[in-house]
Each structure stands twice: as C-alpha cells, then as structure tokens.
Amino acid sequence: MKEEFLKKWQMGLQIYRPLIDNTSVSERRKAIKLSADVAMASLRKGTTCWSRALIQKTATEDNFLVRQMLSGIKAETLINKKLPKVMCHRKIVRRSKKILRRRQSRSAIEEVAAKARKLVKKKTQGLRNVVPGGEFMSNDVLLIQETLDYIVSLQTQVNVMRSIVDAAEAGSERTAYYLGKLKFAIEDG
Amino acid sequence: MSNRRSRQSSSATRISDDQIIDLVSKLRQFLPEIRERRRSDKVSASKVLQETCNYIRKLHREVDNISDRLSLLLDSVDEDSQEAAVIRNLLM
C-alpha cells in the first residue's frame, strides 16, 4: 500500500512540476497536501465512503488536479456522485426522545445509563466531524468501519510522507543512506 | 419503507456493545493507553471514541506539518544543487 501511495502521490506532484518553480510556498504546500490526499483516497478505488467524500472535497479545491490524478471515467463518477441523502434527522430523534422521557420515570441506574449514552452520542458526533463524509454516515456501524479504514490509510500517508521529508532534509551526503532505508521501508511494507 | 427508516434513525445514535468491543480491540494497536475497564462498556466507549478523534486529528496535524516542511525545502534548495536533484527524484 505504501508503494502505491507513493506512486500516486508522485504522479500528482508531477502535474505541478512545470509550475513548481514559479509558485509561492503556500501554493506549493497546498499542492503537496492535496495530491497526498487524493493519492490516499484513490487507493480505495471508490469502495469507501470516506475516500469518496475526500475526493469530492479535494475536487472543490482543485478540480483539475483530481481529474488528472484519477483515470477519466472514474474521475467523473467519483466527483459527481451524489452523496447519500440519508442523514441523521436529529430534530425528529430529539423530539421523539423528549416525548419518551416525559412518559418514563427514572431510577438512578437509568439516569447513569442515559448519561453514558448521551456521552457516547456526543463522542460519536465528534468522530463524524473528523472523518471525511462522516456527516452522511447515520449508521454507526458504518461510521466505525469507515473510521478504522481511514486511520489505516492516514497512517500509510503519514509514514510515507515522513520518510520522504526526513530523507530530503537529511542533506546530500547522507541522502544515499536514507534513500536506501526508504527503499527498504517501502518494500518491507 | 418509511417506518423502517424512522426506526433506523432513532436507533442510529446507539452503538452496540459488540461493536465497541470490536473497535476497542482494533484501536488497541494504535492507542496503548486504553485499558480494559471493568465498568460499563459505555463509559469506555466514549473514551475510545474520544481517543480515536484525538488520534485522527494528530495524524492530520502531522500531514500538515510535513507538507509545510516539504514546501519550504523545495523553496530553499538551490536550483542546481545535489539536494534539488535528490528531492526532484524523490518526489517527481
């Protein structure tokens, strides 16, 4: 997975190659990050919700890059794919819960359990905010599955990027050594 | 059809205990701070969720940080230097 990510990321950066010398640092930084994100998301080939959402989000920031990085047809379907309409209808849930609550008398144990549930719900919402496309995952099982996959992908992204920047910062004399390590690390997988 | 959907959305806010246990065991490898709690699973569930959020945010920050460093590197390196060539080969 590391090798694939690196290849795709490099491909994305190639697109910026002719521009790299004439752009500002912040534009360059954006290019680096966006290509890394698209590279990471494209590894999933549209099979996960988070990767589709991330591609769509990146497309709003740089449509050209996304189209170039993904093969033609796939790019169209992934960018234009309608995100699911089923969202958590919180108002309805809140209202129905309020009605239910009025009808129930609560024991101390029920109170504790209710508080715990509320806390879990709050934390789950927090998770939705950090996972791309999370706001469209009303199914908690899906949210957890997507989260796990997203974390694994993020780790790959970070590991490869870190190897590259460490190697680049190490300077020319030591670079050969780091390149060897990098190659080894990637092949080791 | 609509009945099913409304039932689904009212239970959509709950995570079952099995799913929590599954998530905990998978996140264990990333989050060594999580210990088995003898108390209710729901208490540890919120902790797991919180730690997960924190971890994801941490990874985001790392990506941003690395992107910053890389963009500065490309900037500070002399056009014809060996370093420039190396970076170009690595990235392009």
Side-chain angles (χ1 to χ4, degrees):
Chain A
M1 184 151 138
K2 280 189 188 179
E3 264 176 0
E4 261 195 271
F5 168 77
L6 182 59
K7 263 192 226 139
K8 296 208 169 179
W9 185 32
Q10 285 176 322
M11 180 175 60
L13 290 166
Q14 291 264 15
I15 294 163
Y16 283 98
R17 177 81 195 262
L19 311 165
I20 226 92
D21 297 324
N22 298 324
T23 53
S24 68
V25 177
S26 63
E27 277 170 341
R28 233 175 284 167
R29 183 206 165 285
K30 192 173 156 196
I32 290 169
K33 175 158 196 313
L34 293 186
S35 4
D37 280 345
V38 177
M40 172 176 71
S42 67
L43 290 179
R44 285 293 174 254
K45 303 194 204 296
T47 55
T48 59
C49 197
W50 71 261
S51 58
R52 293 196 297 266
L54 184 56
I55 286 172
Q56 285 190 322
K57 192 171 82 159
T58 314
T60 62
E61 292 195 58
D62 193 335
N63 201 299
F64 173 71
L65 172 70
V66 175
R67 278 179 200 282
Q68 292 292 105
M69 282 185 77
L70 307 172
S71 57
I73 307 163
K74 225 203 310 180
E76 288 303 327
T77 51
L78 281 175
I79 292 172
N80 297 324
K81 193 171 176 124
K82 274 197 224 136
L83 288 163
K85 282 191 189 149
V86 183
M87 286 179 67
C88 206
H89 296 287
R90 284 195 280 276
K91 271 206 199 127
I92 299 174
V93 173
R94 238 183 284 153
R95 228 180 294 141
S96 54
K97 277 195 170 173
K98 227 192 238 172
I99 297 170
L100 257 165
R101 258 186 288 219
R102 259 181 254 143
R103 296 192 193 146
Q104 290 172 341
S105 57
R106 263 117 157 265
S107 70
I109 295 174
E110 280 176 339
E111 284 285 348
V112 170
K115 276 196 184 139
R117 275 200 295 273
K118 206 172 168 193
L119 190 60
V120 168
K121 195 164 83 167
K122 186 177 165 199
K123 299 300 176 188
T124 310
Q125 189 52 44
L127 196 57
R128 283 206 180 84
N129 292 335
V130 286
V131 174
E135 61 267 29
F136 300 103
M137 301 176 205
S138 59
N139 182 336
D140 284 347
V141 178
L142 175 67
L143 176 62
I144 295 178
Q145 287 169 336
E146 291 274 330
T147 302
L148 287 166
D149 191 67
Y150 182 52
I151 288 180
V152 168
S153 304
L154 269 178
Q155 288 180 324
T156 302
Q157 184 188 53
V158 167
N159 288 337
V160 174
M161 287 177 83
R162 198 190 294 133
S163 309
I164 293 283
V165 80
D166 285 347
E169 281 176 348
S172 48
E173 305 111 78
R174 301 173 70 194
T175 301
Y177 168 70
Y178 275 92
L179 273 174
K181 274 206 128 185
L182 173 63
K183 193 159 177 280
F184 178 82
I186 290 179
E187 283 168 359
D188 204 38
Chain B
M1 260 302 155
S2 58
N3 276 342
R4 204 195 319 157
R5 210 191 302 161
S6 62
R7 239 187 294 138
Q8 236 179 10
S9 61
S10 60
S11 64
T13 48
R14 308 249 182 111
I15 308 181
S16 85
D17 288 350
D18 282 344
Q19 284 149 17
I20 296 299
I21 292 167
D22 193 44
L23 180 62
V24 171
S25 60
K26 284 185 181 139
L27 284 176
R28 276 278 198 80
Q29 21 173 343
F30 311 134
L31 310 165
E33 311 95 66
I34 300 238
R35 303 276 176 257
E36 284 284 7
R37 305 271 282 253
R38 265 185 254 125
R39 273 192 280 162
S40 131
D41 279 305
K42 296 237 169 71
V43 177
S44 60
S46 64
K47 174 133 209 262
V48 169
L49 291 169
Q50 181 65 57
E51 291 295 326
T52 310
C53 281
N54 294 344
Y55 184 57
I56 291 179
R57 277 198 222 111
K58 176 178 159 216
L59 290 172
H60 285 167
R61 282 196 301 269
E62 267 211 77
V63 171
D64 286 342
N65 172 264
I66 294 172
S67 303
D68 282 335
R69 285 155 67 190
L70 270 174
S71 59
L72 287 172
L73 268 175
L74 289 171
D75 192 45
S76 65
V77 162
D78 282 326
E79 280 304 304
D80 296 322
S81 75
Q82 225 176 351
E83 280 141 325
V86 163
I87 293 173
R88 297 233 153 89
N89 283 330
L90 274 174
L91 290 176
M92 295 158 189

